[in-house]
Amino acid sequence: MKSQATTICCLILFLATEYSHSRFHIRTKDGDKLQSPERKPKTGRIQEKCHGPCSASNCSQPCAQHFHGEIGFICNGNKWQKSTETCTSLSVETLFMDSNSASRLSVAAPSITLHILDYRTPEPIRSVAQGIQKNCPLDYACIINAVKSSEATSGNIAFIVELLKNISTDLSDNVTREKMKSYSKVANHILNPAVIPNWAFIPDKNVSSDLLQSVNWFARQLHIQNEPEHIVDELFIQTKGFPINNKTSERSLSFSMNLNNTVEGILGIIEIPRQELWKLPPNASQAVGIAFPTLGAVLKEAHLENAHLPRLVNGLVLSVILPEKLEQILFTFEKINKSQNARAQCVGWHSRKRRWDENVCETTLDTKNRVKCRCNYTNVMMSFSILMSPISVDNKVLDYITCIGLSVSILSLILCLMIEATVWSRVVMTDISYMRHVCIVNIAVSLLTANVWFILGSNFNKKAQDYNWCVAVTFFSHFFYLCLFFWMLFKALLIIYGLLVVFRRMMRSRMMAIGFAVGYGCPLVIAATTVAITVPGKGYMRRGACWLNWDDTKALLAFAIPALVIVAVNLVVVLIVAVNTQRPSIGSSKSQDVAIILRISKNVAILTPLLGLTWGFGIATLIEGTSLIFHIIFALLNAFQGFFILLFGTIMDHKIRDALRMRMSSLKGQSRVAENASLGPTYGSKLMNR
């Protein structure tokens, strides 16, 4: 009897030792200490380079000890660069090793009987579904410790995604709150920002899309109770839900999640409009929302056109599971990177095409901090977010061009006004020449003042904004840019008047009245009306910039429409001038033809900046996907418009040059007379002394 008890005690000790060794084998590697599930995932236990010179196109290295798979490298710039990695320490056996050892120990502990000596090893677990159904069918919690204690290598990430995919396919018949929590804990492990870089080395680029689709499919089978529930509250995945029916008032789900240990959470709101809820039947349905703060960084799009253009996710990825009859849903996204200058674009993730689709969403509001979207919901379109739209170009080259161009333009306009003041009395002999120079002076004054207000507004954006001051900056910028265009329009009308009306001339006072009414009166009416209509509703300015609003009230049309119409009219005037310049004669020689072409080119070159035709390039910059070269051309032509006005409107005018020469000659003559007058008495006194 004593020997029998000794044998049983030895068996218990053996089983306990085997259990402890199995846990040590999963949780530690190479003698490390036991890793707590709450610790940050380890990511640095793989070979980082190939040996030998970088001559071949690629190579591979085996993984570190206790890992299966290999690491692939490519030769890039005479250096080995890691391209793929399949190192994994997880398997179906290691997932349930703790559970098997615990079950064997639990058999030995309650009663010491002889039949334990006949203990046989259980049949091996051949699938994840079999292991979960055997060990933890109620809450799926038996896989959590093995997953959270594993290193988040690229291979392990791919294994965990496949694990979640299998659970969604085979074990999603009756998803409870406890199962959803366990499922999300596993997903949370591979969504930690510390392991996001490892996603790039997974050979299968669809693995991130598989993760999103698996989570959505599993959550579709979740059953919500009669009250709103906060189901999952992990750091990198949250799930909420509530019951709905056709009598439910407008409902919303609000998420606030930290990213990269930020103090303030990133906001995301899902709203179901009341008119959509009316479509539901009287019996109860449910709505489930899931938020991911980091998944957007790893979602890889398949078959993306213009792959060289970045499509960066700048908000939470929000998934929603709704009854099939609901078609439209509203979202509010807070921008992660609020310093971006590019506009946001609302998108939905197409689970079959595995890419973002901008056609299913409409951006209803885009401010500096938040974006509101209206999106269409379908079974293949369940996840939504915001991308940084490529429409706006954020390039330092444009900033440098604008800064240098405006500086040169302001100096040129000041010089232009000084020259006009110097030669004014000599160049305004006729009414037409008088009005021509009046137009040039007012064009220069308007553009100079508008540029100054533009600079004030640009510098002011970088400081703390005061609403009233920003309204003033926007109003005066709008007003003086309109004055610029309307004075250019009046100059074009004056050119037509000079060409078509020969024998009957209008009085100078009447032309002056019409010019100032058009040049300053029309802009004042448009700018004041825009302020009166949009300021009461806080829709005059765009958020984050002292300029006209577009997203809410379309106030920018009060500048764009007049400007484009004037550019079109002035273009017609230039064509008329070009036609009138070409006066072919019978038997004209080639030299005469060349002279005509040169005269036409000169007229067009002079009139283009004076009539604002360079602003026509702005249309090309509004088209999505426009090449950067169009933005650079537009910035060059308009930032240097003041210099072009000085060159073509003042310096190239031979009458102004002649007047300047006469003015300089008269000044020299006056200086000589003064010099002789000062020398006269001295010279006379010398003669008298003789």
Side-chain angles (χ1 to χ4, degrees):
M1 189 69 178
K2 183 177 180 180
S3 61
Q4 185 180 21
T6 303
T7 302
I8 294 175
C9 290
C10 291
L11 178 60
I12 294 174
L13 180 62
F14 168 76
L15 291 175
T17 303
E18 183 181 4
Y19 171 69
S20 176
H21 174 74
S22 65
R23 291 185 60 86
F24 180 83
H25 181 71
I26 293 174
R27 294 176 178 262
T28 66
K29 291 154 181 88
D30 299 336
D32 286 350
K33 294 181 180 180
L34 187 68
Q35 180 182 351
S36 170
E38 300 301 324
R39 289 176 60 187
K40 188 176 290 187
K42 294 184 292 183
T43 59
R45 304 186 60 84
I46 53 178
Q47 182 71 29
E48 289 297 338
K49 64 180 180 179
C50 284
H51 299 289
C54 179
S55 57
S57 59
N58 54 61
C59 77
S60 60
Q61 288 288 318
C63 300
Q65 190 177 5
H66 305 305
F67 287 85
H68 302 285
E70 64 179 14
I71 310 166
F73 296 85
I74 60 174
C75 186
N76 185 13
N78 295 326
K79 293 182 180 180
W80 289 114
Q81 183 177 0
K82 187 167 78 169
S83 58
T84 59
E85 185 237 295
T86 58
C87 299
T88 178
S89 59
L90 292 172
S91 64
V92 175
E93 291 77 13
T94 57
L95 281 177
F96 304 103
M97 188 176 295
D98 287 2
S99 300
N100 290 339
S101 300
S103 63
R104 289 159 64 182
L105 182 61
S106 64
V107 173
S111 58
I112 303 175
T113 56
L114 286 176
H115 76 270
I116 297 182
L117 295 173
D118 298 329
Y119 172 80
R120 296 191 182 97
T121 302
E123 295 183 3
I125 298 173
R126 303 183 183 278
S127 68
V128 172
Q130 179 186 356
I132 290 178
Q133 288 175 341
K134 179 179 180 181
N135 295 287
C136 51
L138 298 180
D139 57 6
Y140 301 173
C142 55
I143 62 174
I144 295 177
N145 288 338
V147 169
K148 295 181 71 173
S149 62
S150 65
E151 292 188 31
T153 61
S154 302
N156 278 343
I157 291 173
F159 178 89
I160 293 170
V161 172
E162 189 66 24
L163 166 67
L164 296 173
K165 186 177 178 181
N166 290 339
I167 293 175
S168 298
T169 303
D170 301 331
L171 299 173
S172 59
D173 294 336
N174 183 23
V175 178
T176 62
R177 183 190 183 102
E178 289 72 22
K179 292 179 181 178
M180 191 69 202
K181 282 187 174 182
S182 299
Y183 191 95
S184 300
K185 286 180 183 293
V186 175
N188 184 76
H189 178 69
I190 56 176
L191 291 174
N192 193 308
V195 306
I196 292 300
N198 292 348
W199 284 78
F201 305 114
I202 301 175
D204 183 7
K205 300 306 178 184
N206 293 329
V207 66
S208 56
S209 177
D210 289 341
L211 173 63
L212 178 60
Q213 189 170 355
S214 299
V215 174
N216 290 345
W217 179 258
F218 193 74
R220 181 186 285 274
Q221 312 303 320
L222 179 65
H223 294 285
I224 304 295
Q225 302 300 323
N226 294 328
E227 296 294 332
E229 295 187 40
H230 195 156
I231 303 162
V232 175
D233 191 15
E234 297 293 327
L235 287 177
F236 311 112
I237 178 172
Q238 288 183 2
T239 304
K240 298 180 181 181
F242 52 73
I244 53 176
N245 55 44
N246 60 356
K247 296 182 180 180
T248 306
S249 60
E250 184 174 356
R251 300 301 297 268
S252 64
L253 292 170
S254 180
F255 299 91
S256 180
M257 307 186 73
N258 292 332
L259 183 69
N260 294 329
N261 298 320
T262 54
V263 178
E264 297 182 359
I266 301 299
L267 181 69
I269 301 175
I270 303 171
E271 299 178 71
I272 306 175
R274 184 70 185 91
Q275 57 269 25
E276 288 293 313
L277 294 170
W278 289 340
K279 301 176 182 178
L280 294 175
N283 54 313
S285 301
Q286 64 181 28
V288 177
I290 312 170
F292 307 88
T294 58
L295 182 59
V298 298
L299 274 175
K300 298 294 183 181
E301 297 187 77
H303 310 295
L304 179 63
E305 298 178 4
N306 297 326
H308 63 283
L309 291 176
R311 287 163 62 94
L312 303 177
V313 176
N314 200 32
L316 300 179
V317 175
L318 297 178
S319 293
V320 59
I321 293 90
L322 299 174
E324 293 184 358
K325 292 187 177 182
L326 300 188
E327 299 175 352
Q328 198 171 82
I329 192 166
L330 306 178
F331 295 93
T332 299
F333 295 98
E334 181 179 357
K335 294 180 180 179
I336 296 175
N337 188 348
K338 299 176 178 63
S339 64
Q340 295 272 5
N341 292 328
R343 297 168 61 83
Q345 188 175 41
C346 299
V347 289
W349 182 261
H350 199 295
S351 58
R352 292 178 183 171
K353 297 180 179 179
R354 297 180 185 270
R355 58 168 299 175
W356 294 111
D357 188 347
E358 59 272 12
N359 297 322
V360 300
C361 289
E362 175 189 1
T363 304
T364 59
L365 177 65
D366 184 2
T367 68
K368 181 180 179 181
N369 298 324
R370 296 188 182 184
V371 179
K372 289 190 175 182
C373 311
R374 181 183 292 108
C375 300
N376 296 326
Y377 171 84
T378 64
N379 288 333
V380 296
M381 203 72 64
M382 302 167 59
S383 302
F384 304 87
S385 190
I386 53 173
L387 302 179
M388 300 316 298
S389 171
I391 295 177
S392 297
V393 178
D394 183 15
N395 196 297
K396 290 186 177 180
V397 175
L398 300 180
D399 295 335
Y400 292 142
I401 291 174
T402 302
C403 182
I404 296 173
L406 285 178
S407 301
V408 174
S409 182
I410 289 174
L411 294 176
S412 300
L413 292 170
I414 293 174
L415 182 59
C416 174
L417 293 174
M418 292 173 62
I419 293 175
E420 287 288 342
T422 302
V423 302
W424 182 265
S425 60
R426 298 178 182 272
V427 296
V428 292
M429 301 300 183
T430 64
D431 291 343
I432 291 296
S433 63
Y434 182 88
M435 292 306 303
R436 175 180 177 275
H437 286 279
V438 166
C439 288
I440 291 177
V441 168
N442 282 279
I443 287 173
V445 169
S446 298
L447 182 56
L448 176 62
T449 312
N451 286 344
V452 171
W453 279 107
F454 177 84
I455 292 173
L456 288 175
S458 300
N459 292 333
F460 184 65
N461 288 338
K462 300 175 183 178
K463 304 175 183 178
Q465 291 193 5
D466 177 79
Y467 180 79
N468 294 330
W469 170 247
C470 199
V471 168
V473 170
T474 304
F475 173 81
F476 285 111
S477 299
H478 183 206
F479 172 72
F480 282 107
Y481 274 119
L482 285 178
C483 290
L484 168 67
F485 279 95
F486 275 93
W487 272 110
M488 291 189 296
L489 173 64
F490 183 72
K491 180 172 177 59
L493 298 177
L494 195 65
I495 292 172
I496 293 296
Y497 176 77
L499 289 175
L500 301 182
V501 181
V502 179
F503 300 105
R504 186 178 179 181
R505 296 296 183 183
M506 190 182 299
M507 293 178 60
R508 179 183 297 185
S509 59
R510 183 174 296 180
M511 285 193 294
M512 286 285 290
I514 295 174
F516 278 86
V518 172
Y520 293 113
C522 293
L524 182 60
V525 171
I526 296 173
T529 303
T530 306
V531 170
I533 293 175
T534 57
V535 164
K538 303 292 184 181
Y540 182 53
M541 303 171 301
R542 63 181 61 184
R543 298 287 179 88
C546 295
W547 186 234
L548 298 172
N549 187 291
W550 170 256
D551 296 306
D552 300 329
T553 59
K554 301 295 187 291
L556 185 60
L557 292 176
F559 170 73
I561 292 178
L564 293 178
V565 170
I566 290 173
V567 168
V569 172
N570 291 357
L571 178 60
V572 174
V573 172
V574 172
L575 295 177
I576 293 174
V577 171
V579 171
N580 279 268
T581 303
Q582 183 182 6
R583 295 177 180 175
S585 59
I586 299 174
S588 60
S589 62
K590 288 185 178 180
S591 61
Q592 290 176 329
D593 293 339
V594 171
I596 291 173
I597 293 174
L598 291 176
R599 190 162 58 248
I600 293 173
S601 302
K602 180 181 177 181
N603 290 337
V604 171
I606 291 174
L607 292 177
T608 295
L610 291 177
L611 300 185
L613 301 186
T614 55
W615 288 81
F617 282 92
I619 300 175
T621 64
L622 298 177
I623 302 174
E624 182 176 355
T626 301
S627 173
L628 179 61
I629 189 65
F630 286 99
H631 293 268
I632 294 177
I633 293 173
F634 179 70
L636 281 171
L637 292 177
N638 290 284
F640 287 90
Q641 187 177 7
F643 172 76
F644 295 139
I645 289 174
L646 171 66
L647 177 63
F648 295 112
T650 303
I651 296 177
M652 290 187 65
D653 189 336
H654 67 91
K655 293 182 180 180
I656 291 180
R657 292 200 303 270
D658 293 340
L660 278 175
R661 280 194 293 266
M662 293 177 62
R663 180 65 174 167
M664 295 300 294
S665 299
S666 64
L667 289 176
K668 287 181 181 179
Q670 292 176 4
S671 65
R672 287 176 182 175
V673 171
E675 182 180 356
N676 292 334
S678 63
L679 292 175
T682 305
Y683 180 69
S685 63
K686 288 182 179 179
L687 289 176
M688 298 221 18
N689 290 332
R690 285 184 180 179

